[in-house]
Amino acid sequence: MEKAIKSKFESVFMSEPLILIAPGRINLIGEHTDYNEGFVLPASIDKHIVFAVAKNNESLLRFVSNDLNDEIELPVDKIEPVEKHWANYLLGVIAQIKKMGKSIAGVDCVFGGNIPLGAGLSSSAALETGFAYALNELFQLGLTKLEIVQLSQKAEHEYAGVKCGIMDQFTSVFGQKDKVIRLDCRSLEYELFPLKLDEFKIILCDTHVKHTLASSEYNTRRHECEEGISILKKHYPSIHSLRDVTLEMLEKHKTEFNPVVFKRCKFVVEENKRLLDACEALARNELNVFGKLMYQTHDGLKNDYEVSCKELDILVDIAKESGIVLGSRMMGGGFGGCTINIVEKDKALAFIEKATKEYKAITGIDMPVYQVSIEQGTNILKI
Ligand code: GLA
């Protein structure tokens, strides 16, 4: 794939590009906690976007999406959102770099990859971070890795309209082989945990649906959490986010809450606690305990946070009833995309067969399945 993108670039632009890859991510546990200043436990995976990028002397931005077979050409001094949705991720990055007072000249870029779109594996974050990383190299912008993460997150806010947290972009840049990242989304301190998956496999079952609600409901959840905070702030002026809230505090003021906002806040507070328990289980190598917590996360996302959908629930039910899946839950923002499943190695094939067959029988959908491994974050390739 890397070679194909490189030769495509060479044949279109007749110059020698910089080649780099930016991966997608999984998240083991800790969902919808990042924008509440809580913890997450993601890892970068062996599905990525490849970029071939070089400066041009034409003051033009010329982007080619290899997979979509589409291209766009724009003057570099006129950065604004365009009709082509995919190009906005790249333009959003340039807009942020300019806001930081740095200048970008003409750039040619060809990209393509194997992160399935709309599957909740953060192809958009990979597109942003990979491009930002490339521009940082080409134009010697002197951005730190963390600045690349943060500007990519802002690009998503402003050019894709999703008020995402920091997890996806952070993971795409900071991920490391065979490690999960326990990221404190408040301080941005992180710890790397080796994931000993010797006897287990991480299997992603792709519902193959992406309900259109996803981005509007995502932003609504953010508001609901903020609403909860503004109620509690009256009683506890020092709190800043749901990270500072306990279940006792919530229960004590329950009657002041709209019931929906209450459920949302309760989920986030519980999920933060679950993540910390899950990390302890991981440290003790108790994957069965870890798995139980994953099932609990799914219940919370389904019933309290209400970001699941019927297809995701069907897949988690199949996993649970099979009796061979340690943990299963919807992953990412919700309303479609994948479930993440931890399965004993020698039972993986049996599970995949069963889940594919049952999901098809209920929904009529052919389910893509991805067995992922954990690989290094965004990096430059010498090819
Ligand atoms: C999406 C967002 C992340 C995070 C997850 C939910 O992937 O981009 O920032 O909020 O949803 O955990």
Side-chain angles (χ1 to χ4, degrees), residues 25 27 30-35 122 164-168 218 332-333:
R25 63 104 189 88
N27 184 27
E31 219 64 89
H32 288 274
T33 43
D34 60 352
Y35 52 87
S122 295
C164 64
I166 202 164
M167 168 170 75
D168 305 347
Y218 186 92

Side-chain angles (χ1 to χ4, degrees), residues 26-31 33 39-42 167 271 274-276 278-279 290 292-295 297 329 340:
I26 52 171
N27 184 27
L28 289 175
I29 198 161
E31 219 64 89
T33 43
F39 295 92
V40 288
L41 198 63
M167 168 170 75
E271 181 70 352
R274 246 189 312 264
L275 183 140
L276 297 174
C279 286
F290 193 96
K292 283 198 183 114
L293 293 165
M294 287 173 72
Y295 281 118
T297 290
R329 63 176 198 82
I340 175 168

Side-chain angles (χ1 to χ4, degrees), residues 240-371:
H240 187 256
S241 65
L242 289 175
R243 163 75 172 275
D244 305 312
V245 173
T246 62
L247 283 180
E248 293 70 40
M249 283 153 90
L250 273 178
E251 287 296 340
K252 191 163 167 208
H253 300 284
K254 187 170 180 176
T255 54
E256 296 162 47
F257 278 74
N258 149 337
V260 171
V261 172
F262 182 82
K263 281 204 291 189
R264 306 294 193 247
C265 295
K266 176 172 146 287
F267 166 76
V268 173
V269 172
E270 287 173 347
E271 181 70 352
N272 251 328
K273 159 105 177 46
R274 246 189 312 264
L275 183 140
L276 297 174
D277 292 346
C279 286
E280 279 177 25
L282 204 57
R284 293 192 303 265
N285 215 10
E286 291 175 357
L287 273 178
N288 53 340
V289 176
F290 193 96
K292 283 198 183 114
L293 293 165
M294 287 173 72
Y295 281 118
Q296 285 175 18
T297 290
H298 186 78
D299 286 344
L301 288 165
K302 175 182 172 192
N303 301 319
D304 291 338
Y305 218 64
E306 294 179 287
V307 290
S308 187
C309 62
K310 118 176 154 286
E311 293 84 358
L312 286 164
D313 297 341
I314 290 169
L315 282 177
V316 172
D317 286 345
I318 293 173
K320 205 181 233 168
E321 281 158 20
S322 74
I324 55 177
V325 179
L326 264 78
S328 176
R329 63 176 198 82
M330 59 149 275
M331 186 177 73
F335 301 103
C338 292
T339 60
I340 175 168
N341 303 273
I342 303 204
V343 191
E344 281 174 47
K345 216 177 209 167
D346 54 358
K347 299 189 175 137
L349 271 183
F351 167 61
I352 292 171
E353 242 170 59
K354 182 178 163 64
T356 315
K357 200 162 136 215
E358 291 182 13
Y359 187 67
K360 169 93 180 187
I362 304 173
T363 62
I365 301 171
D366 288 313
M367 179 179 79
V369 174
Y370 320 115
Q371 298 194 37

